[in-house]
PDB file of all heavy atoms in Angstrom:
ATOM      1  N   VAL A 227     -25.750   7.186  24.729  1.00 98.00           N
ATOM      2  CA  VAL A 227     -24.320   7.513  24.657  1.00 98.00           C
ATOM      3  C   VAL A 227     -24.136   8.920  24.103  1.00 98.00           C
ATOM      4  O   VAL A 227     -23.333   9.713  24.616  1.00 98.00           O
ATOM      5  CB  VAL A 227     -23.574   6.476  23.792  1.00 98.00           C
ATOM      6  CG1 VAL A 227     -22.124   6.905  23.560  1.00 98.00           C
ATOM      7  CG2 VAL A 227     -23.614   5.102  24.440  1.00 98.00           C
ATOM      8  N   ILE A 231     -22.393  12.021  26.250  1.00 97.00           N
ATOM      9  CA  ILE A 231     -21.229  12.752  25.761  1.00 97.00           C
ATOM     10  C   ILE A 231     -21.529  14.239  25.624  1.00 97.00           C
ATOM     11  O   ILE A 231     -20.648  15.087  25.750  1.00 97.00           O
ATOM     12  CB  ILE A 231     -20.777  12.162  24.406  1.00 97.00           C
ATOM     13  CG1 ILE A 231     -20.163  10.784  24.610  1.00 97.00           C
ATOM     14  CG2 ILE A 231     -19.792  13.072  23.691  1.00 97.00           C
ATOM     15  CD1 ILE A 231     -19.900  10.031  23.326  1.00 97.00           C
ATOM     16  N   GLY A 233     -23.615  15.252  22.931  1.00 97.00           N
ATOM     17  CA  GLY A 233     -23.897  15.481  21.521  1.00 97.00           C
ATOM     18  C   GLY A 233     -22.664  15.919  20.761  1.00 97.00           C
ATOM     19  O   GLY A 233     -21.527  15.815  21.232  1.00 97.00           O
ATOM     20  N   THR A 246     -15.260  13.329  13.916  1.00 97.00           N
ATOM     21  CA  THR A 246     -13.999  12.815  14.457  1.00 97.00           C
ATOM     22  C   THR A 246     -13.955  13.006  15.964  1.00 97.00           C
ATOM     23  O   THR A 246     -13.561  12.101  16.718  1.00 97.00           O
ATOM     24  CB  THR A 246     -12.811  13.541  13.798  1.00 97.00           C
ATOM     25  OG1 THR A 246     -13.018  13.609  12.389  1.00 97.00           O
ATOM     26  CG2 THR A 246     -11.512  12.837  14.099  1.00 97.00           C
ATOM     27  N   ASP A 247     -14.360  14.171  16.422  1.00 98.00           N
ATOM     28  CA  ASP A 247     -14.411  14.456  17.856  1.00 98.00           C
ATOM     29  C   ASP A 247     -15.360  13.496  18.573  1.00 98.00           C
ATOM     30  O   ASP A 247     -15.050  13.006  19.673  1.00 98.00           O
ATOM     31  CB  ASP A 247     -14.868  15.902  18.067  1.00 98.00           C
ATOM     32  CG  ASP A 247     -15.057  16.254  19.529  1.00 98.00           C
ATOM     33  OD1 ASP A 247     -14.079  16.678  20.166  1.00 98.00           O
ATOM     34  OD2 ASP A 247     -16.188  16.082  20.039  1.00 98.00           O
ATOM     35  N   LEU A 248     -16.510  13.214  17.965  1.00 98.00           N
ATOM     36  CA  LEU A 248     -17.482  12.317  18.585  1.00 98.00           C
ATOM     37  C   LEU A 248     -16.878  10.926  18.769  1.00 98.00           C
ATOM     38  O   LEU A 248     -17.080  10.282  19.807  1.00 98.00           O
ATOM     39  CB  LEU A 248     -18.742  12.236  17.717  1.00 98.00           C
ATOM     40  CG  LEU A 248     -19.936  11.498  18.341  1.00 98.00           C
ATOM     41  CD1 LEU A 248     -20.532  12.320  19.471  1.00 98.00           C
ATOM     42  CD2 LEU A 248     -20.998  11.208  17.286  1.00 98.00           C
ATOM     43  N   ALA A 249     -16.124  10.453  17.771  1.00 98.00           N
ATOM     44  CA  ALA A 249     -15.499   9.135  17.876  1.00 98.00           C
ATOM     45  C   ALA A 249     -14.477   9.100  19.008  1.00 98.00           C
ATOM     46  O   ALA A 249     -14.378   8.114  19.747  1.00 98.00           O
ATOM     47  CB  ALA A 249     -14.844   8.759  16.551  1.00 98.00           C
ATOM     48  N   PHE A 250     -13.694  10.172  19.169  1.00 98.00           N
ATOM     49  CA  PHE A 250     -12.723  10.215  20.264  1.00 98.00           C
ATOM     50  C   PHE A 250     -13.433  10.269  21.613  1.00 98.00           C
ATOM     51  O   PHE A 250     -12.971   9.661  22.594  1.00 98.00           O
ATOM     52  CB  PHE A 250     -11.797  11.423  20.086  1.00 98.00           C
ATOM     53  CG  PHE A 250     -10.581  11.136  19.252  1.00 98.00           C
ATOM     54  CD1 PHE A 250     -10.706  10.676  17.945  1.00 98.00           C
ATOM     55  CD2 PHE A 250      -9.315  11.314  19.767  1.00 98.00           C
ATOM     56  CE1 PHE A 250      -9.593  10.398  17.166  1.00 98.00           C
ATOM     57  CE2 PHE A 250      -8.183  11.035  18.997  1.00 98.00           C
ATOM     58  CZ  PHE A 250      -8.323  10.572  17.694  1.00 98.00           C
ATOM     59  N   ALA A 251     -14.563  10.959  21.685  1.00 98.00           N
ATOM     60  CA  ALA A 251     -15.328  11.020  22.934  1.00 98.00           C
ATOM     61  C   ALA A 251     -15.914   9.652  23.279  1.00 98.00           C
ATOM     62  O   ALA A 251     -15.941   9.253  24.447  1.00 98.00           O
ATOM     63  CB  ALA A 251     -16.444  12.065  22.810  1.00 98.00           C
ATOM     64  N   VAL A 252     -16.368   8.923  22.260  1.00 98.00           N
ATOM     65  CA  VAL A 252     -16.892   7.571  22.476  1.00 98.00           C
ATOM     66  C   VAL A 252     -15.782   6.647  22.957  1.00 98.00           C
ATOM     67  O   VAL A 252     -15.975   5.838  23.875  1.00 98.00           O
ATOM     68  CB  VAL A 252     -17.532   7.038  21.174  1.00 98.00           C
ATOM     69  CG1 VAL A 252     -17.665   5.525  21.201  1.00 98.00           C
ATOM     70  CG2 VAL A 252     -18.898   7.675  20.959  1.00 98.00           C
ATOM     71  N   ARG A 253     -14.600   6.757  22.359  1.00 97.00           N
ATOM     72  CA  ARG A 253     -13.465   5.920  22.777  1.00 97.00           C
ATOM     73  C   ARG A 253     -13.087   6.236  24.228  1.00 97.00           C
ATOM     74  O   ARG A 253     -12.667   5.341  24.975  1.00 97.00           O
ATOM     75  CB  ARG A 253     -12.277   6.153  21.845  1.00 97.00           C
ATOM     76  CG  ARG A 253     -11.156   5.141  22.020  1.00 97.00           C
ATOM     77  CD  ARG A 253     -10.077   5.311  20.975  1.00 97.00           C
ATOM     78  NE  ARG A 253     -10.600   5.052  19.645  1.00 97.00           N
ATOM     79  CZ  ARG A 253     -10.734   5.962  18.695  1.00 97.00           C
ATOM     80  NH1 ARG A 253     -10.371   7.201  18.922  1.00 97.00           N
ATOM     81  NH2 ARG A 253     -11.223   5.643  17.513  1.00 97.00           N
ATOM     82  N   GLN A 254     -13.232   7.473  24.624  1.00 97.00           N
ATOM     83  CA  GLN A 254     -12.935   7.861  26.011  1.00 97.00           C
ATOM     84  C   GLN A 254     -13.873   7.161  26.995  1.00 97.00           C
ATOM     85  O   GLN A 254     -13.536   6.969  28.167  1.00 97.00           O
ATOM     86  CB  GLN A 254     -13.057   9.384  26.153  1.00 97.00           C
ATOM     87  CG  GLN A 254     -12.478   9.951  27.427  1.00 97.00           C
ATOM     88  CD  GLN A 254     -12.539  11.471  27.432  1.00 97.00           C
ATOM     89  OE1 GLN A 254     -13.609  12.067  27.245  1.00 97.00           O
ATOM     90  NE2 GLN A 254     -11.403  12.118  27.633  1.00 97.00           N
ATOM     91  N   GLN A 255     -15.060   6.744  26.492  1.00 97.00           N
ATOM     92  CA  GLN A 255     -16.026   6.021  27.321  1.00 97.00           C
ATOM     93  C   GLN A 255     -15.767   4.516  27.321  1.00 97.00           C
ATOM     94  O   GLN A 255     -16.560   3.749  27.883  1.00 97.00           O
ATOM     95  CB  GLN A 255     -17.447   6.287  26.809  1.00 97.00           C
ATOM     96  CG  GLN A 255     -17.854   7.744  26.782  1.00 97.00           C
ATOM     97  CD  GLN A 255     -17.806   8.374  28.164  1.00 97.00           C
ATOM     98  OE1 GLN A 255     -18.332   7.815  29.123  1.00 97.00           O
ATOM     99  NE2 GLN A 255     -17.163   9.537  28.264  1.00 97.00           N
ATOM    100  N   GLY A 256     -14.684   4.065  26.713  1.00 97.00           N
ATOM    101  CA  GLY A 256     -14.377   2.644  26.663  1.00 97.00           C
ATOM    102  C   GLY A 256     -15.048   1.907  25.521  1.00 97.00           C
ATOM    103  O   GLY A 256     -15.051   0.666  25.497  1.00 97.00           O
ATOM    104  N   LEU A 257     -15.605   2.640  24.562  1.00 98.00           N
ATOM    105  CA  LEU A 257     -16.266   2.042  23.408  1.00 98.00           C
ATOM    106  C   LEU A 257     -15.416   2.261  22.154  1.00 98.00           C
ATOM    107  O   LEU A 257     -14.376   2.893  22.206  1.00 98.00           O
ATOM    108  CB  LEU A 257     -17.664   2.648  23.238  1.00 98.00           C
ATOM    109  CG  LEU A 257     -18.613   2.445  24.428  1.00 98.00           C
ATOM    110  CD1 LEU A 257     -19.881   3.274  24.257  1.00 98.00           C
ATOM    111  CD2 LEU A 257     -18.947   0.975  24.595  1.00 98.00           C
ATOM    112  N   LYS A 297      -8.028  20.035  21.990  1.00 97.00           N
ATOM    113  CA  LYS A 297      -8.889  19.275  22.904  1.00 97.00           C
ATOM    114  C   LYS A 297      -8.337  17.882  23.181  1.00 97.00           C
ATOM    115  O   LYS A 297      -8.431  17.377  24.304  1.00 97.00           O
ATOM    116  CB  LYS A 297     -10.296  19.171  22.309  1.00 97.00           C
ATOM    117  CG  LYS A 297     -11.279  18.378  23.174  1.00 97.00           C
ATOM    118  CD  LYS A 297     -12.676  18.370  22.560  1.00 97.00           C
ATOM    119  CE  LYS A 297     -13.637  17.522  23.407  1.00 97.00           C
ATOM    120  NZ  LYS A 297     -15.004  17.507  22.822  1.00 97.00           N
ATOM    121  N   TRP A 298      -7.770  17.225  22.173  1.00 98.00           N
ATOM    122  CA  TRP A 298      -7.390  15.815  22.287  1.00 98.00           C
ATOM    123  C   TRP A 298      -5.878  15.612  22.229  1.00 98.00           C
ATOM    124  O   TRP A 298      -5.402  14.568  21.776  1.00 98.00           O
ATOM    125  CB  TRP A 298      -8.067  15.007  21.177  1.00 98.00           C
ATOM    126  CG  TRP A 298      -9.561  15.007  21.281  1.00 98.00           C
ATOM    127  CD1 TRP A 298     -10.442  15.694  20.518  1.00 98.00           C
ATOM    128  CD2 TRP A 298     -10.333  14.278  22.241  1.00 98.00           C
ATOM    129  NE1 TRP A 298     -11.725  15.457  20.922  1.00 98.00           N
ATOM    130  CE2 TRP A 298     -11.694  14.574  21.984  1.00 98.00           C
ATOM    131  CE3 TRP A 298     -10.021  13.409  23.282  1.00 98.00           C
ATOM    132  CZ2 TRP A 298     -12.730  14.032  22.731  1.00 98.00           C
ATOM    133  CZ3 TRP A 298     -11.058  12.868  24.042  1.00 98.00           C
ATOM    134  CH2 TRP A 298     -12.391  13.178  23.754  1.00 98.00           C
TER     135      TRP A 298
END
Side-chain angles (χ1 to χ4, degrees):
V227 173
I231 289 170
T246 314
D247 175 88
L248 189 71
F250 271 58
V252 161
R253 192 173 296 113
Q254 193 175 54
Q255 302 300 311
L257 300 171
K297 179 177 178 180
W298 296 105

